[in-house]
Amino acid sequence: MGDVRWARRWPLPVRGVVMLRFARFVRLPAREVPPIVAKTFPFECAAEALKHLMAGRLFGRVLLEDLSRNRARPVGAVAAGPVIRWERNMQQTQTTPKAFLGVGYTSDRAGLPLEAVRVPVPQPAADQVLIRVAASSLNPLEYKLADLNFMGRTPPVVLGFDLAGVVVAVGHGVSGVAVGDAVAAMADLNGDGGWAATGGSGSEGGYAVAYRFLTAGKPPSLGFRDAAALPMAFLSAFAGLYRAVQDGDTVYIPGGGGGVGHLAVQMAARALGAGLVISSGSTPQSIALARQSGAHHVFDYKRDDIPAAVAGLTSGRGVDLVFDATYSERGFAESARTVRRGGRWTVLGVGPGKTTRLVETRSPVDAILAERGADQVNVNLLRYFSEPATLDGEARALLQRGMALAMEWATQGLVVPHISQTIDSTVDAINTGLQSLKAGRGTPGKVAVVVDRDLAAGK
């Protein structure tokens, strides 16, 4: 079987560290790759290691180490000293199933509730990676796609486009990411997401492909759950604020307790050098989160006259930049009135008058901005996937930079997701969470989805 005579349960033949090759179960690389991430856990017998290997939860080499007295013990001995250690970044082939039971919509414009649906495990094309998903999160995009199917997909379509997990296959031309690496990514929006109807048990797993430029290595200090809460919301804020916020700028970010908003507030206040960050919220909890995220002033948009309040804070000048991710037609008009002359009003999504995606309505925003000589900028990640010509080299570089900074700033404590609720990846739990988001009853920050509990915990 390799370096250890496993089948006969003989004593370990060497002292200290020994490599268990298990040649029948794992294809090892021809050359060693230096470890990046290591995990340890105590065990009672070496059979536990084989169980994890065969369940697909260990990737790369497996080391049996006696940490108590640095001497060998019989395989199967009960002791505090021996541990199993594995590194997830070894270059090797991981067996994946042909299909998995996902959570998504099964007919065009079916809306909620989503259903369990069995779909093939996708294969990565050039410049793509296949990820076994440990965790994900909820985004408004998921229920909007179920409602309107505006990407023109042919159902069934599995949702869950925020991903954190382990790479199990790579496409042609991929570099910088290898099989076994722990990563965070945003899935290809023209493909399936990674929600699996397994209740977090990970028995079968969830799988999704992501482009390499939308994939970043997950730092060891950042858990899978927190990493999975970042990709889509972080990139949305990043695309609107990066290189737009100048040192000392006054910025207004309505909805600073929302999934995108609380990350945008942190980004402006802590990472991009804004001088004054103003925000607003609708509940005590969302107002508190906006303030906790770094906003210097937070207003209650149900009670306060925000344009007047902003004018008071800025000596009547207005703010240099608005970033509005609220998808509220009424809110759009209000936030537009806070922009200074010659300033910038940035909106996430399709923009004013178009938020229903069904009927275009008249919005006063254009006239308000024109009167002030202010620019309107639309930030829409979906456009990169629905209009491929927009996904040029500059756009890819921006998104890749965003994913790298999402991981970096999270580990530095600059932009950290606030996870107010964690749910298992079940059809019922996901439907309940999306219904709350759609009805405007969502909790502040993000809702995390645990797809594979063991993988998310590093077991």
Side-chain angles (χ1 to χ4, degrees):
M1 295 285 293
D3 296 334
V4 175
R5 300 179 184 180
W6 175 279
R8 300 185 187 181
R9 300 175 62 82
W10 284 11
L12 297 177
V14 297
R15 296 171 181 255
V17 177
V18 353
M19 185 145 92
L20 306 181
R21 294 196 180 273
F22 303 129
R24 295 184 188 176
F25 301 98
V26 178
R27 182 180 300 170
L28 291 171
R31 58 184 178 85
E32 298 274 335
V33 177
I36 295 175
V37 181
K39 174 72 178 178
T40 64
F41 71 96
F43 75 109
E44 295 183 353
C45 66
E48 184 72 9
L50 184 59
K51 181 182 78 173
H52 282 275
L53 281 167
M54 297 183 70
R57 291 193 288 265
L58 300 187
F59 306 94
R61 59 179 178 166
V62 180
L63 300 179
L64 179 65
E65 192 173 9
D66 187 339
L67 299 183
S68 56
R69 297 183 181 178
N70 195 33
R71 65 183 179 82
R73 293 179 180 271
V75 175
V78 178
V83 300
I84 289 289
R85 174 182 294 161
W86 69 91
E87 291 88 15
R88 295 185 181 277
N89 70 318
M90 302 298 287
Q91 301 276 346
Q92 68 179 66
T93 299
Q94 164 73 9
T95 301
T96 57
K98 293 182 179 179
F100 73 99
L101 190 64
V103 179
Y105 58 96
T106 59
S107 59
D108 188 42
R109 303 191 179 200
L112 300 177
L114 303 180
E115 303 176 46
V117 54
R118 184 163 293 281
V119 294
V121 171
Q123 296 303 308
D127 196 37
Q128 289 185 332
V129 300
L130 175 63
I131 298 168
R132 175 163 178 157
V133 182
S136 180
S137 76
L138 302 184
N139 292 289
L141 174 65
E142 273 98 15
Y143 72 73
K144 292 177 182 179
L145 285 173
D147 283 345
L148 301 173
N149 195 27
F150 45 75
M151 295 299 288
R153 296 288 311 285
T154 300
V157 176
V158 172
L159 301 174
F161 295 102
D162 279 336
L163 311 172
V166 173
V167 175
V168 293
V170 299
H172 177 73
V174 169
S175 61
V177 174
V179 170
D181 283 357
V183 297
M186 188 177 89
D188 178 4
L189 298 184
N190 285 313
D192 284 341
W195 288 341
T198 58
S201 68
S203 56
E204 190 174 60
Y207 296 84
V209 294
Y211 283 104
R212 170 64 185 91
F213 63 86
L214 287 171
T215 303
K218 184 189 75 63
S221 60
L222 185 64
F224 282 106
R225 186 196 68 158
D226 286 5
L230 284 167
M232 188 172 294
F234 183 97
L235 289 177
S236 296
F238 184 81
L241 298 175
Y242 189 66
R243 295 177 182 160
V245 176
Q246 305 299 312
D247 283 348
D249 272 357
T250 299
V251 180
Y252 174 45
I253 301 171
V260 175
H262 84 291
L263 299 177
V265 168
Q266 294 179 67
M267 200 176 293
R270 299 171 180 169
L272 299 179
L276 179 66
V277 177
I278 304 165
S279 190
S280 57
S282 61
T283 66
Q285 294 80 10
S286 63
I287 290 171
L289 180 56
R291 193 171 285 120
Q292 175 187 324
S293 297
H296 302 98
H297 299 275
V298 186
F299 297 106
D300 184 336
Y301 81 75
K302 290 182 177 179
R303 183 186 65 198
D304 297 324
D305 183 341
I306 293 178
V310 169
L313 288 172
T314 59
S315 302
R317 179 173 176 267
V319 301
D320 299 296
L321 171 68
V322 169
F323 176 69
D324 196 324
T326 63
Y327 286 85
S328 165
E329 294 289 348
R330 176 177 171 271
F332 288 165
E334 187 173 71
S335 68
R337 292 189 177 96
T338 68
V339 183
R340 69 167 172 83
R341 293 190 178 278
R344 174 183 287 194
W345 186 79
T346 300
V347 61
L348 179 65
V350 292
K354 303 173 184 176
T355 52
T356 67
R357 290 185 176 268
L358 296 174
V359 178
E360 187 167 347
T361 59
R362 294 191 63 179
S363 170
V365 169
D366 287 347
I368 294 169
L369 296 177
E371 188 272 330
R372 296 160 187 261
D375 294 330
Q376 179 179 158
V377 178
N378 281 72
V379 172
N380 190 350
L381 299 181
L382 288 176
R383 190 178 174 213
Y384 292 129
F385 297 88
S386 61
E387 302 175 31
T390 64
L391 194 58
D392 55 17
E394 183 179 355
R396 287 171 178 250
L398 176 70
L399 295 171
Q400 186 164 11
R401 177 66 173 155
M403 283 301 304
L405 285 177
M407 301 296 104
E408 180 180 326
W409 287 348
T411 57
Q412 293 173 351
L414 296 175
V415 182
V416 179
H418 173 81
I419 298 176
S420 56
Q421 185 181 6
T422 301
I423 62 175
D424 283 333
S425 188
T426 67
V427 174
D428 288 345
I430 288 171
N431 278 322
T432 299
L434 291 179
Q435 289 282 13
S436 294
L437 276 180
K438 185 176 181 179
R441 301 190 306 269
T443 56
K446 294 286 291 180
V447 175
V449 180
V450 176
V451 179
D452 185 329
R453 197 177 299 112
D454 285 347
L455 188 57
K459 295 181 180 179

